[in-house]
Amino acid sequence: MKYKSLFIFGILMAVSNVMCARTSITNLKVNDLTSPLGIDVVAPTFSWEFDSDTRGCKQTSYCISVKSADGTEVWNSGYVNSSQQFGIKYNGAELMSRTAYTWSVTVNCQNGESASASSTFETAFVNGEGWTGKWVGKKIKKPSAAMEIVFDEPVECKNVRIFITKLGVPASTDPNYTFAQFDEIEIYSNGENVARKATFSATNSWNVGNWKLGNINDGKIGDASALGWTTTQNPSTPITLTANLDGLYVIDKMILYPRQDDHAKTGERLAANFPASFTIRTAVNSLSYTTQYTAKDIEAPKFSGSSYRVPYFGRNFSIDKKVKRARVYASALGVFSMKINGKAVTDAVLEPGESEFEKSVLYSTYDVTDLLRNGNNSIIAQVAGGIYNIEYLDGRFSKGEVKNNGQTALIGELLIEYEDGTTENIVTDETWKTTKSATIGSNWWGGEDYDARLEIGSIENAGFDVSSWETVDVITPHF
């Protein structure tokens, strides 16, 4: 009787184990992310984890199905005999940009057990294509150091020569090397900058990095992609820099711009490598030059200090229907933060992430459905220079060897899907507005300067009105 009881107990335990066995699929991911919102590759990858209480249970096949929001199946892998659970590439119809998808996977085990699970993902701009927003900014930065030379009398000439006899103070980033350097040369005749059409030559010139003789009259001042003219290291003097104008002109003024991306090693307000002694000479036939101006042991031009304030960019819009889904796709040349109706679109900071701007600019996707409201709404972003535009702040640490000073800008699109099936797309363009914020300086390494007296008190209010702000400029990025 005792053995019979043990036999029945064993059977019950075996049945109980089978009945309690659990097989499940967990940790579903697309491109290693859980329910991502910003997939922008043509063929994302799928992965999952297979779990079973049954000893030895092993995945023997899987089937993946991907459907769009209306239920249309865009890919069905069919059952694939494989134990693979990671990095399985999508192989269906072309994915549409800014579209929500549901995907599911069914897994079979060698003992007949199976399990299914589903998840979601959304595309952003597949292959980075389809943006309709424009880069917007405000061209409020002006060269902050320059030397203006007005001649005693206007002079007719075809050739203008800067004859350098003594070098200036080295730059903070190259304190052991002297150069002669100019960012830009302007020569004026009756209000026209005739240097733009001139051909420049120099007895000592070094084309290195973004330093090129041809940049000396390109009209770009303070542009990291076109720094200007430089000599070689520790050059001997005299050095001549000559502008051959495209004809005879009566000139009365010149403006010499020192390098704008660094300061002298002796002080943050002094321009670096600006000649200490030189003359301006002119000629009609390039043979006989006459001195028109003499500078001897002068102090370099001074930077006025940063008058730049981190700008706000904003737009108002109205909603009178029920919102089903809303997404913001945004990026910046620099770093940005963004709020809708005074609420941050993300808890991430220093968006959109650092990249090599010459090769790629990252962007982010945000779910902002819950931030919208019926009636008036406001979307406001703040854009600082980040690593794209290095602002030098007095008394703050910076890495002078990094010479990025591009024009900061914002690009973004707000996609709103309504319950009635209609959509609205609000993009950065000429309708956006801008104003200065209370952040009066920002440096990637040195931090920020903030003046609370300049705060816009109600800017955090829902539907804040930006109509009185200035109109933005549409920016063409230079890398």
Side-chain angles (χ1 to χ4, degrees):
M1 191 68 175
K2 178 179 179 182
Y3 296 110
K4 184 176 181 180
S5 298
L6 289 173
F7 176 73
I8 294 173
F9 178 75
I11 292 176
L12 291 174
M13 286 296 294
V15 171
S16 174
N17 286 338
V18 171
M19 293 178 63
C20 294
R22 181 183 61 83
T23 302
S24 63
I25 298 173
T26 60
N27 206 19
L28 280 72
K29 292 185 176 182
V30 178
N31 280 11
D32 302 328
L33 301 170
T34 302
S35 298
L37 298 182
I39 297 298
D40 60 1
V41 295
V42 173
T45 59
F46 301 90
S47 62
W48 61 87
E49 293 180 3
F50 176 66
D51 186 33
S52 177
D53 288 344
T54 302
R55 181 185 294 273
C57 184
K58 177 184 177 181
Q59 174 186 309
T60 56
S61 65
Y62 67 83
C63 177
I64 298 174
S65 173
V66 180
K67 296 180 179 181
S68 58
D70 63 4
T72 302
E73 189 172 58
V74 295
W75 182 44
N76 190 312
S77 68
Y79 277 97
V80 179
N81 293 325
S82 172
S83 60
Q84 185 177 355
Q85 301 172 21
F86 178 82
I88 299 169
K89 281 191 173 182
Y90 176 82
N91 190 27
E94 181 180 354
L95 295 174
M96 304 298 292
S97 292
R98 303 192 304 173
T99 302
Y101 291 94
T102 298
W103 72 284
S104 61
V105 58
T106 299
V107 169
N108 292 324
C109 188
Q110 86 277 13
N111 63 2
E113 295 180 19
S114 65
S116 298
S118 63
S119 186
T120 61
F121 70 94
E122 293 184 18
T123 54
F125 292 95
V126 178
N127 259 353
E129 300 174 351
W131 284 87
T132 56
K134 301 175 182 179
W135 288 105
V136 297
K138 193 61 181 177
K139 299 173 183 177
I140 56 177
K141 282 191 67 179
K142 302 295 181 184
S144 58
M147 181 177 183
E148 182 174 312
I149 299 171
V150 178
F151 299 139
D152 293 334
E153 297 288 341
V155 57
E156 185 179 51
C157 62
K158 189 177 186 298
N159 310 101
V160 181
R161 175 169 291 173
I162 303 176
F163 191 81
I164 301 170
T165 55
K166 185 176 182 180
L167 302 176
V169 182
S172 65
T173 53
D174 284 310
N176 299 319
Y177 299 97
T178 55
F179 302 82
Q181 295 174 327
F182 291 114
D183 188 305
E184 186 83 2
I185 301 293
E186 295 178 348
I187 304 170
Y188 284 90
S189 173
N190 197 26
E192 178 189 1
N193 177 20
V194 295
R196 289 298 306 276
K197 296 180 288 185
T199 301
F200 278 78
S201 60
T203 56
N204 186 318
S205 186
W206 190 15
N207 289 343
V208 56
N210 292 330
W211 292 97
K212 293 179 176 61
L213 179 59
N215 295 338
I216 197 68
N217 60 336
D218 60 2
K220 298 177 181 179
I221 304 169
D223 189 328
S225 67
L227 291 176
W229 166 74
T230 184
T231 62
T232 55
Q233 298 172 343
N234 300 326
S236 58
T237 57
I239 302 163
T240 62
L241 175 65
T242 304
N244 301 300
L245 306 180
D246 66 336
L248 278 173
Y249 290 93
V250 176
I251 66 171
D252 56 8
K253 182 175 73 171
M254 292 180 65
I255 301 179
L256 311 181
Y257 293 96
R259 64 182 296 179
Q260 303 286 313
D261 64 319
D262 198 4
H263 55 81
K265 69 176 185 179
T266 55
E268 294 184 353
R269 291 189 178 274
L270 287 178
N273 291 315
F274 192 88
S277 297
F278 61 92
T279 57
I280 304 293
R281 303 177 180 183
T282 62
V284 172
N285 56 11
S286 76
L287 297 177
S288 178
Y289 280 88
T290 302
T291 298
Q292 306 296 338
Y293 177 85
T294 299
K296 183 175 177 57
D297 294 324
I298 64 169
E299 185 179 60
K302 290 184 177 181
F303 294 98
S304 60
S306 177
S307 60
Y308 175 73
R309 285 165 55 184
V310 174
Y312 284 122
F313 301 106
R315 189 186 189 281
N316 294 118
F317 58 97
S318 182
I319 292 177
D320 59 6
K321 294 185 287 186
K322 189 172 182 180
V323 175
K324 178 182 179 182
R325 181 177 77 114
R327 301 289 185 263
V328 163
Y329 310 91
S331 184
L333 299 176
V335 292
F336 76 97
S337 60
M338 181 178 287
K339 294 183 178 181
I340 293 180
N341 294 322
K343 303 295 184 182
V345 301
T346 178
D347 59 2
V349 296
L350 301 178
E351 294 279 74
E354 187 178 344
S355 65
E356 291 187 63
F357 292 101
E358 298 89 345
K359 299 178 180 179
S360 62
V361 179
L362 305 179
Y363 68 96
S364 299
T365 304
Y366 311 105
D367 180 356
V368 297
T369 308
D370 294 337
L371 302 184
L372 302 181
R373 65 173 196 163
N374 284 338
N376 294 326
N377 290 260
S378 61
I379 178 170
I380 297 174
Q382 193 176 19
V383 182
I387 198 70
Y388 183 78
N389 178 38
I390 305 297
E391 284 285 331
Y392 290 98
L393 302 181
D394 286 348
R396 295 296 190 93
F397 172 77
S398 188
K399 290 187 176 181
E401 67 271 19
V402 182
K403 306 177 183 67
N404 300 341
N405 57 343
Q407 170 67 55
T408 55
L410 173 75
I411 192 171
E413 301 196 12
L414 167 59
L415 173 66
I416 306 174
E417 291 185 2
Y418 296 103
E419 291 285 359
D420 63 5
T422 60
T423 62
E424 184 176 5
N425 200 33
I426 298 168
V427 304
T428 49
D429 57 17
E430 298 88 345
T431 65
W432 280 58
K433 300 288 188 175
T434 182
T435 194
K436 297 176 182 179
S437 74
T439 303
I440 59 175
S442 176
N443 180 277
W444 184 248
W445 295 280
E448 294 184 343
D449 289 341
Y450 185 84
D451 188 342
R453 296 169 299 179
L454 302 174
E455 285 184 353
I456 303 174
S458 56
I459 198 169
E460 302 288 342
N461 293 350
F464 176 81
D465 185 7
V466 302
S467 61
S468 63
W469 293 1
E470 296 180 66
T471 301
V472 298
D473 296 316
V474 173
I475 302 297
T476 301
H478 297 283
F479 303 106

